[in-house]
Amino acid sequence: MRTLISDQDQEDEKALRRREKLTAFIREEAEAQGFDLCRITRPDSIPRAPERLRTFLDEGHHGTMAWMAETRERRADPKALWSEVRSIVLFGLNYGPDEDPRGILDRPDRAAISVYARNRDYHDVIKGRLKEIATRFAARAGEDVKVFVDTAPVMEKPLAEAAGLGWQGKHTNLVSRTHGSWLFLGSLFTTAELIVDAPETDHCGSCRACLDACPTAAFPAPYRLDARRCISYLTIEHKGPIDPEFRPLIGNRIYGCDDCLAACPWNKFAASASEMKLRAREDLKEPSIAFLLTLDDAAFRTFFSGSPVKRIGRDRFVRNVLIAAGNSGDPALIGQCLELARDPSPVVRGMAIWALKRLMRPEDFARFAQTRDVEDDPGVREEWRLAGAG
Ligand code: B12
Ligand code: SF4
Ligand code: SF4
């Protein structure tokens, strides 16, 4: 008996073979570039994300990150960002720490820099690799390609969940069964048709460890974050003085926060980062507050060269370190705080006043308050008022 294969069937068969080959090619490339995970989804795979993003923005949970609202249409829908995109490849890179990052939180003379920022800027590390893959893939497939990591208006977490890299846990970050919460994400958009993977399902169950671990109660509900209360937002994204409500709760966290990630039981399956550029620099594991308070602009830039910390600039950084100083209970830091109370930056002067109020004996602080400049910047005058010396 003869089987009749139509031209259409042959075409379909050919297209499928091509998709399979390109899919295998991109997976091999991802592995060669050291990515730990690589899976594929379609641009229409996150139908609930636009509504959820809208709620987040309408409730003001993005705080001063105005760029999130400005890009909302493109962010919510990959097709609005690039109408020709047919497949989205999601990559995960493990940045797991060697030890529990919460260990440093009860050492008040030390400053806690979150795990992701203890070495090279992951944007640089990932972007270079994605560009490499993109160039090779475009040449092989003869298709258009764009790559993104973090800063583009792409909802990386729901897309990664749809591609099956992991699921969005109650702390809102992606959790992987094999890497826990320590994964950076990046994506490659292409006009090529690829074979898609199955989405991951939620494995949080009745656990709420991350929600209970948050020092600032930043989760209004499971799976929802109010960034305005999150220490990561406050210490990295937020400019100007930090609301006094949060200062004591920040403890010694001077750049980002890992508490909700570190609390996740799925981390027991996580290995330490194999990429050397993402393994903690020794001098960023537990830097002393006293040392960090000495950094002027030039020293700050040198010390944090190549690090994501450099992004926030010296003044915002020293603002954070002064909060940690004020929380340290260590009167040995008073001399440095007094010097910083005369710093050219108003945000630094203001936070030095707050730290001094906590570190000095009341009679010493009252004497110091008499030296204040009554004509100072409004933000600094507000700090004097809050310190009871307005
Ligand atoms: C803005 C931003 C922030 C903001 C806001 C964080 C947030 N959760 O939205 C701030 C500055 C606070 C922040 C902090 C951090 N960030 Co950030 N951030 C981003 C960024 C740029 C956009 C995230 C976004 O779109 N938020 C908008 C909200 C609406 O989207 P969403 O978080 O996906 O919200 C979902 C849930 O709320 C859910 N949802 C809502 N209601 C409901 C109800 C139910 C029932 C369910 C199931 C779900 C659900 O649906 C929404 C849409 O999917 C991404 C990069 C990117 N382009 O995606 C990195 C990114 C999320 N950040 C990252 C990291 C590492 C961090 C920090 C860990 C850094 C640190 N150590 O300090 C912290 C973690 C804090 C936390 N718990 O989220 C990684 C996370 C990697 C991962 N494994 O998930 C990303 C992906 C960057 C990257 N390329 O690797 N970040
Ligand atoms: S990063 Fe820290 S402050 Fe932000 S939600 Fe997680 S535990 Fe709370
Ligand atoms: S700590 Fe528990 S609730 Fe939070 S993400 Fe991990 S498994 Fe889910």
Side-chain angles (χ1 to χ4, degrees):
M1 196 178 86
R2 282 176 55 196
T3 314
L4 279 180
I5 304 176
S6 72
D7 287 354
Q8 185 58 50
D9 285 346
Q10 283 187 11
E11 274 308 306
D12 288 352
E13 188 64 23
K14 233 170 92 187
L16 181 64
R17 292 282 91 80
R18 177 179 141 82
R19 286 211 296 270
E20 281 171 353
K21 278 191 180 150
L22 289 177
T23 305
F25 180 75
I26 208 139
R27 288 196 207 284
E28 283 159 21
E29 288 297 312
E31 205 180 324
Q33 288 296 330
F35 283 108
D36 296 285
L37 295 171
C38 163
R39 294 174 69 101
I40 300 161
T41 190
R42 293 241 177 280
D44 59 1
S45 62
I46 52 168
R48 285 179 301 188
E51 171 68 29
R52 289 170 173 178
L53 176 64
R54 193 170 61 235
T55 308
F56 177 83
L57 294 170
D58 288 352
E59 289 179 0
H61 286 167
H62 59 304
T64 54
M65 296 183 289
W67 43 270
M68 294 198 78
E70 284 155 13
T71 55
R72 74 164 76 193
E73 272 81 32
R74 279 174 291 153
R75 187 174 292 275
D77 176 8
K79 282 267 186 198
L81 180 65
W82 187 24
S83 58
E84 286 108 289
V85 60
R86 288 208 198 90
S87 308
I88 302 179
V89 188
L90 273 302
F91 302 88
L93 186 61
N94 170 26
Y95 70 100
D98 290 338
E99 54 200 2
D100 190 330
R102 292 169 296 182
I104 194 180
L105 297 179
D106 50 22
R107 298 186 59 193
D109 61 323
R110 302 282 144 178
I113 296 179
S114 66
V115 176
Y116 94 86
R118 291 184 182 173
N119 201 328
R120 301 301 291 267
D121 193 327
Y122 72 92
H123 300 92
D124 301 340
V125 176
I126 294 184
K127 195 87 181 203
R129 292 168 184 210
L130 290 181
K131 281 186 177 161
E132 192 78 23
I133 297 175
T135 309
R136 289 172 58 81
F137 181 77
R140 171 73 168 255
E143 300 271 2
D144 290 336
V145 176
K146 294 183 190 207
V147 293
F148 304 107
V149 51
D150 190 27
T151 46
V154 174
M155 294 191 78
E156 292 171 345
K157 294 180 284 177
L159 283 168
E161 180 176 289
L165 251 69
W167 71 97
Q168 277 191 267
K170 290 179 189 170
H171 55 30
T172 79
N173 276 5
L174 197 85
V175 187
S176 141
R177 280 201 274 189
T178 45
H179 295 89
S181 292
W182 311 109
L183 269 184
F184 290 130
L185 303 176
S187 61
L188 179 150
F189 284 37
T190 177
T191 51
E193 290 275 8
L194 299 172
I195 312 276
V196 295
D197 292 298
E200 177 60 287
T201 48
D202 189 328
H203 296 285
C204 284
S206 59
C207 175
R208 45 173 293 124
C210 53
L211 308 178
D212 296 337
C214 180
T216 51
F219 299 107
Y223 306 99
R224 296 185 57 201
L225 178 79
D226 182 348
R228 294 170 300 182
R229 301 187 65 86
C230 173
I231 293 170
S232 184
Y233 165 83
L234 293 167
T235 54
I236 302 173
E237 301 292 337
H238 177 75
K239 303 179 180 84
I242 290 175
D243 191 318
E245 173 193 353
F246 298 118
R247 296 177 197 169
L249 305 174
I250 285 174
N252 62 348
R253 299 170 191 81
I254 58 156
Y255 189 93
C257 170
D258 291 318
D259 291 27
C260 54
L261 304 196
C264 184
W266 286 92
N267 290 336
K268 62 174 173 278
F269 301 108
S272 309
S274 51
E275 169 54 64
M276 287 313 285
K277 290 178 186 159
L278 299 177
R279 295 182 79 112
R281 253 168 65 179
E282 274 312 311
D283 55 356
L284 292 185
K285 275 188 179 171
E286 41 178 39
S288 81
I289 291 176
F291 164 68
L292 296 175
L293 286 177
T294 65
L295 297 178
D296 61 13
D297 198 47
F300 171 79
R301 284 163 181 278
T302 308
F303 190 64
F304 288 109
S305 166
S307 150
V309 177
K310 197 171 163 194
R311 191 161 77 84
I312 65 170
R314 179 264 179 188
D315 295 347
R316 220 187 298 172
F317 178 77
V318 174
R319 169 201 70 181
N320 298 344
V321 183
L322 279 163
I323 291 178
N327 289 331
S328 71
D330 182 1
L333 298 173
I334 289 174
Q336 288 181 282
C337 294
L338 282 170
E339 253 178 64
L340 290 166
R342 292 192 301 270
D343 195 83
S345 158
V347 78
V348 169
R349 291 202 297 282
M351 225 44 70
I353 293 163
W354 181 81
L356 286 164
K357 170 77 179 170
R358 289 172 67 94
L359 295 176
M360 288 172 116
R361 290 181 307 174
E363 58 276 25
D364 293 340
F365 185 79
R367 253 195 308 278
F368 164 59
Q370 292 186 346
T371 67
R372 75 183 187 276
D373 172 5
V374 285
E375 300 294 316
D376 207 336
D377 174 273
V380 182
R381 291 210 303 271
E382 174 61 8
E383 291 302 331
W384 280 118
R385 195 190 63 75
L386 290 169

